[in-house]
Amino acid sequence: MQQNSEANARGIILMVLSMGAFAMADTLIKLVSGEVAPAQIMFLMMAGGSVMFCLMAKAQGARLIDRRAIAPVFLVRYLAEVVAMVGMVMALAHVPLSAVGAIIQATPLLVALGAVLFLGEKVSWRRWSTIVLGFAGVLLIVQPGAEGFDALALWAVFSMVGLSVRDLTTRMTPPDMASASLAAYSAVAALPFAMAWILLDGDNFLPPEADWVMLISIILLGSLGYLLLTASIRTTSISVVSPFRYARLVFMLILGVLVFDERPGLPVLAGASLIVFSGLYMMWRERVLKQSG
């Protein structure tokens, strides 16, 4: 029992640290977006991520060459990764950090909906209610049709959709394939798109006047966040650590206030609360059902 408690505590700490690393990377992306084009940010993140994830895979003794990596489910996952990254970088460049953080936290709800539509999972009226409530929170933040509607907020929604498809297709990948290898494949597959985007914009691959300390920090923090996330999930049960993914939203709200002097309005706070409540309730119900089953 004590061993389980210690493993749970360690897993929770690792998850919170992981979300903190991701939130700091998001903050730095927003800071450099004034000097570095979104396409350049994505290219540098994918190039740096490719190197970091390949090194991680090698350190874990995982395979880097696997013919299964070109199967249709992987190709869909790569496309989803590109959509998620483009949406995230564009959103961070143009939308308040707190709003971006709130919207992407609805990803687990969209994954649950996708599991129903595409994987044939059966859900109760409680889960349907939870999904609807969570998306109501997204609508509160985005406010389509309202006078203050900002169409740029839709980039965060696109990112959420991409992340959801990526997570959904991850369930269909071979369980024996290492997580670091899977991440490396995704980063390498996204590189050609990022390069084409830069060429279409007429920019340089390496921004000459960029703050390289911040750019390298983004790559390192993103890789660290991934490493901590993987360690957290492998330390204890996913049901124990998953609720603490919402720490990323808390960090982004705080960083938005401290770094960018953001003042989230009532719609953002109310929407974020609905999303978090819905996600936590859904996780709690799944845990109850597993224990009773």
Side-chain angles (χ1 to χ4, degrees):
M1 182 67 72
Q2 186 178 357
Q3 258 188 336
N4 285 342
S5 297
E6 290 177 356
N8 289 346
R10 189 161 57 251
I12 289 169
I13 291 171
L14 290 170
M15 178 62 76
V16 172
L17 290 174
S18 169
M19 295 302 105
F22 284 135
M24 290 175 65
D26 294 338
T27 303
L28 292 179
I29 290 172
K30 190 167 185 63
L31 283 170
V32 302
S33 62
E35 300 175 355
V36 184
Q40 293 172 317
I41 293 174
M42 182 174 173
F43 168 72
L44 292 171
M45 288 179 66
M46 293 301 97
S50 299
V51 174
M52 295 298 294
F53 292 134
C54 283
L55 290 175
M56 287 182 192
K58 275 295 184 184
Q60 295 170 4
R63 293 169 58 187
L64 281 175
I65 300 177
D66 193 326
R67 295 182 65 180
R68 295 175 297 176
I70 58 173
V73 66
F74 283 91
L75 300 181
V76 173
R77 191 181 187 278
Y78 302 151
L79 179 60
E81 189 80 60
V82 169
V83 172
M85 283 302 304
V86 171
M88 178 64 80
V89 172
M90 291 296 289
L92 288 171
H94 302 291
V95 181
L97 190 66
S98 53
V100 176
I103 292 171
I104 63 172
Q105 293 307 314
T107 298
L109 300 172
L110 196 55
V111 171
L113 179 60
V116 174
L117 298 176
F118 302 109
L119 300 183
E121 289 189 9
K122 295 181 180 180
V123 296
S124 65
W125 65 269
R126 289 186 180 88
R127 178 177 277 193
W128 276 118
S129 301
T130 300
I131 292 172
V132 170
L133 192 63
F135 289 137
V138 174
L139 291 175
L140 260 177
I141 298 169
V142 178
Q143 297 186 62
E147 186 178 341
F149 169 63
D150 184 0
L152 291 171
L154 292 176
W155 283 115
V157 177
F158 292 152
S159 180
M160 177 188 68
V161 173
L163 290 170
S164 302
V165 175
R166 183 200 66 184
D167 291 352
L168 201 60
T169 51
T170 299
R171 297 186 182 187
M172 307 175 199
T173 57
D176 63 316
M177 184 174 286
S179 299
S181 298
L182 191 57
Y185 298 149
S186 297
V188 171
L191 266 177
F193 177 87
M195 294 170 70
W197 189 7
I198 289 176
L199 292 173
L200 287 172
D201 284 350
D203 289 323
N204 297 319
F205 285 100
L206 302 179
E209 298 180 359
D211 187 333
W212 283 97
V213 172
M214 292 182 70
L215 290 172
I216 293 172
S217 297
I218 290 170
I219 296 170
L220 294 177
L221 283 168
S223 302
L224 176 63
Y226 173 83
L227 188 63
L228 292 170
L229 176 65
T230 304
S232 171
I233 292 172
R234 288 179 172 173
T235 298
T236 187
S237 170
I238 294 178
S239 62
V240 171
V241 297
S242 286
F244 292 89
R245 286 177 181 265
Y246 289 103
R248 184 175 184 175
L249 172 57
V250 176
F251 286 128
M252 291 177 80
L253 284 168
I254 294 172
L255 289 168
V257 172
L258 295 179
V259 180
F260 303 104
D261 198 28
E262 295 177 2
R263 294 294 182 268
L266 183 59
V268 172
L269 294 176
S273 299
L274 281 177
I275 292 169
V276 172
F277 171 78
S278 302
L280 291 176
Y281 179 77
M282 185 174 67
M283 293 174 193
W284 175 77
R285 279 293 302 172
E286 287 181 355
R287 193 171 183 180
V288 169
L289 291 173
K290 284 181 181 178
Q291 289 175 345
S292 62

